[in-house]
Amino acid sequence: GNSVTQMEGPVTLSEEAFLTINCTYTATGYPSLFWYVQYPGEGLQLLLKATKADDKGSNKGFEATYRKETTSFHLEKGSVQVSDSAVYFCALSEGGGYQKVTFGTGTKLQVIP
Amino acid sequence: DTGVSQDPRHKITKRGQNVTFRCDPISEHNRLYWYRQTLGQGPEFLTYFQNEAQLEKSRLLSDRFSAERPKGSFSTLEIQRTEQGDSAMYLCASSFPSGPYEQYFGPGTRLTVT
C-alpha cells in the first residue's frame, strides 16, 4: 500500500535559517504529492502541491520538487520566520476516481528569534 | 464561504457512551472525507462520500463507527459504545469531484473518552 515517511522532529532553527524537511513516499501508481501545515490551534491547511514528476510546488517561500527517481518530495525554505513554527505533514494522493490522502507522521518545526 | 466546519470542537465522554459529530463541508464540494488523528501521528483515512453515497470505508472503521451523509450536504460520524482507544481528533475534509486533488480540512473535533 501507499506510505509516506518524513523526518522526525522536532526541528529547531533560528530565524532566517535554511529549512529542509525530508519526505519520501511509496506508491503503486503516480500519486499527487502535498505538504500540509498545521499551526498551533488551527486545522490542516494545504501549503503546496505537485501533481506530476519534476513539478515544483511553491507557496509562502516554501518549495518542494516531485522527484520520481528518488520518490522524494523534500520541503525547503531559504529563510524561516518565527511565524513558520508549526507541524508540517507530507502526504500523497493516488489519482483515479477519488483522492484519499495518505499522510506522514508530521514534523514539528520551532523557529526561535 | 466560511470553509469546512465541525461541531462540537471538543467532546468529553465516558467509556460506553455514544457520541455523534457533525461536519458541514464547503457548499460547492460534493466529496466529503473523515480522518482520525492521534497524538503525534498524521491523519488516517476513515471513510469517504461522494454526494450521499459512502464509497469506501477503512478497516480502521470498526462496526461501532457509522457515518452518514443523508442529503449529500452535511455528514455525521457516530461512535457507539466508546472506548478509551477512540480518543483522538476527528477531522473532516471536503473537495471538488475532480482534480486538483485538494482537500480542505475543518478544525476537527477532539474526543476524550474517560
Side-chain angles (χ1 to χ4, degrees):
Chain A
N2 298 337
S3 67
V4 176
T5 302
Q6 57 183 109
M7 62 189 288
E8 291 188 16
V11 174
T12 302
L13 294 174
S14 298
E15 205 165 23
E16 299 183 2
F18 184 85
L19 169 70
T20 300
I21 300 178
N22 290 337
C23 171
T24 57
Y25 68 89
T26 301
T28 53
Y30 300 95
S32 297
L33 301 175
F34 310 89
W35 279 99
Y36 279 84
V37 60
Q38 191 170 35
Y39 297 103
E42 298 185 16
L44 278 168
Q45 301 174 25
L46 180 66
L47 180 60
L48 53 84
K49 65 180 184 287
T51 58
K52 60 182 187 298
D54 299 326
D55 269 2
K56 176 184 283 188
S58 62
N59 186 27
K60 299 180 181 180
F62 291 88
E63 293 183 340
T65 301
Y66 190 142
R67 300 289 188 197
K68 188 172 184 296
E69 63 277 12
T70 55
T71 62
S72 64
F73 193 55
H74 305 320
L75 182 68
E76 297 182 335
K77 187 176 186 183
S79 176
V80 293
Q81 305 300 313
V82 172
S83 58
D84 294 326
S85 298
V87 181
Y88 293 82
F89 293 91
C90 186
L92 67 82
S93 174
E94 293 277 16
Y98 66 95
Q99 305 126 3
K100 167 183 154 182
V101 179
T102 300
F103 288 86
T105 54
T107 302
K108 184 175 182 179
L109 170 65
Q110 182 177 13
V111 181
I112 55 177
Chain B
D1 189 278
T2 57
V4 179
S5 62
Q6 294 186 244
D7 184 69
R9 294 291 303 275
H10 303 275
K11 179 70 176 178
I12 300 174
T13 192
K14 293 186 176 180
R15 189 177 55 187
Q17 297 295 304
N18 299 344
V19 294
T20 300
F21 311 140
R22 176 179 170 126
C23 171
D24 287 89
I26 294 172
S27 57
E28 302 86 15
H29 291 176
N30 72 345
R31 288 186 171 174
L32 188 148
Y33 306 79
W34 285 98
Y35 292 84
R36 181 172 69 185
Q37 185 179 16
T38 53
L39 198 62
Q41 300 297 314
E44 296 173 294
F45 171 80
L46 291 178
T47 190
Y48 145 73
F49 290 84
Q50 178 152 321
N51 299 314
E52 64 276 9
Q54 187 173 18
L55 298 186
E56 183 170 344
K57 293 193 293 185
S58 163
R59 288 170 296 179
L60 293 174
L61 215 64
S62 76
D63 292 343
R64 296 184 297 105
F65 288 70
S66 62
E68 294 182 343
R69 195 183 182 197
K71 297 182 180 179
S73 56
F74 73 91
S75 176
T76 58
L77 177 68
E78 181 183 17
I79 309 175
Q80 296 182 329
R81 304 180 304 281
T82 52
E83 302 173 355
Q84 287 189 320
D86 297 331
S87 296
M89 179 76 83
Y90 290 84
L91 300 171
C92 176
S94 68
S95 74
F96 287 109
S98 59
Y101 309 112
E102 178 174 347
Q103 295 183 15
Y104 293 80
F105 282 80
T109 294
R110 181 168 294 285
L111 172 66
T112 302
V113 182
T114 62

